[in-house]
Amino acid sequence: MTAAAGSIAERAAAVRERIARACARAGRDPASVRLIAVSKTFGPEAVAEALAAGIREFGENRVQEALAKIPAVAELAAQRGLPAPTWHLVGHLQTNKARAAAGAFAILHGIDSTRLLQALDRAAAAPVRVLLEVNVAGEPTKFGFAPEDVAGAVALAQTLPHIEVAGLMTVAPRAEDPEAVRPVFRRLAELARELGLPELSMGMTEDFEVAIEEGATMVRIGRAIFGERA
Ligand SMILES: *Cc1c(COP(=O)(O)O)cnc(C)c1O
């Protein structure tokens, strides 16, 4: 499915409406699902437009790109009397960028190795909230812990004073029919429940409604809000 035509504000409203309908189907409170607008490849002006439309949380997948964008957006927001947004890192993090990422983002979604947990713990000045990425479907091309390794990573994190594991994150395989990835979301939700972790970051433009039905607390949506990436 491609993003709806129209302005960022119109598309954001349409996404919110779809989130609300998915919540209604699942008997969930829409306030229990946070919309993270993934602004990668889009400039500060597009983010400011989304801010003006009421979106408050944004996701970036590259530290370098985000470090340039975050202050530019802050400046536009201040000029226009809009609140400053909260930033999420939604992509893979390299160990050598751990310090910069810990300082720039409110939460890091793509933490995928014990080595990275240890590097972040050493680099961070204050506790960092993280989500452990899980490669639920075992795809060789994807980052993430194998499901059977997550409990060990959580146990390790409990020994690290600057790490707070808030939950789990996954990127589902690409599928024509979002129903095909429902078992992936269901498995991640089970795993989080077993480990007593509250946050579940799952669901993107193609599959967020199914993810919400399976318990997502954060959906990471790019194209349905900003349009197709160049
Ligand atoms: C790009 C990206 C998204 C958003 O994808 P869309 O298909 O544009 O909604 C979500 N999560 C991650 C990790 C991404 O890299």
Side-chain angles (χ1 to χ4, degrees):
M1 202 191 308
T2 52
S7 66
I8 287 174
E10 286 167 331
R11 287 191 296 248
V15 165
R16 282 218 191 77
E17 177 60 35
R18 288 170 60 189
I19 289 173
R21 280 202 296 268
C23 285
R25 282 196 297 279
R28 298 185 57 195
D29 177 358
S32 68
V33 180
R34 284 155 70 181
L35 169 57
I36 319 297
V38 178
S39 48
K40 65 189 184 195
T41 78
F42 292 94
E45 189 55 52
V47 177
E49 214 175 310
L51 258 184
I55 291 178
R56 294 291 175 260
E57 302 192 78
F58 294 87
E60 289 285 328
N61 72 334
R62 289 171 193 272
V63 176
Q64 232 41 45
E65 181 183 342
L67 290 179
K69 201 177 295 182
I70 291 170
V73 170
E75 200 177 314
L76 288 177
Q79 281 167 12
R80 298 174 192 181
L82 298 165
T86 299
W87 292 94
H88 298 240
L89 182 70
V90 298
H92 177 68
L93 174 63
Q94 286 169 296
T95 310
N96 63 0
K97 301 221 170 76
R99 185 185 300 274
F105 297 96
I107 183 161
L108 309 177
H109 292 229
I111 304 306
D112 57 5
S113 72
T114 52
R115 203 168 79 88
L116 184 55
L117 280 169
Q118 286 162 325
L120 260 176
D121 181 59
R122 281 193 301 273
V128 206
R129 275 167 71 77
V130 305
L131 302 175
L132 302 180
E133 181 167 0
V134 186
N135 186 354
V136 177
E139 292 173 281
T141 56
K142 286 250 168 80
F143 293 111
F145 289 99
E148 61 272 23
D149 293 338
V150 178
V154 170
L156 168 75
Q158 280 164 350
T159 70
L160 303 175
H162 293 128
I163 301 292
E164 184 198 327
V165 178
L168 304 180
M169 175 268 205
T170 200
V171 177
R174 281 184 169 278
E176 286 289 310
D177 176 3
E179 280 301 328
V181 295
R182 186 181 293 276
V184 169
F185 296 141
R186 189 165 290 178
R187 180 78 189 98
L188 193 76
E190 269 169 19
L191 204 51
R193 208 163 27 245
E194 285 163 18
L195 296 167
L197 297 171
E199 300 289 353
L200 270 179
S201 168
M202 57 188 196
M204 306 172 28
T205 290
E206 305 289 344
D207 54 22
F208 69 89
E209 287 145 310
V210 174
I212 288 169
E213 289 167 12
E214 295 301 328
T217 62
M218 300 181 193
V219 289
R220 311 179 308 268
I221 301 180
R223 289 169 298 141
I225 291 170
F226 292 105
E228 294 298 320
R229 288 181 288 274

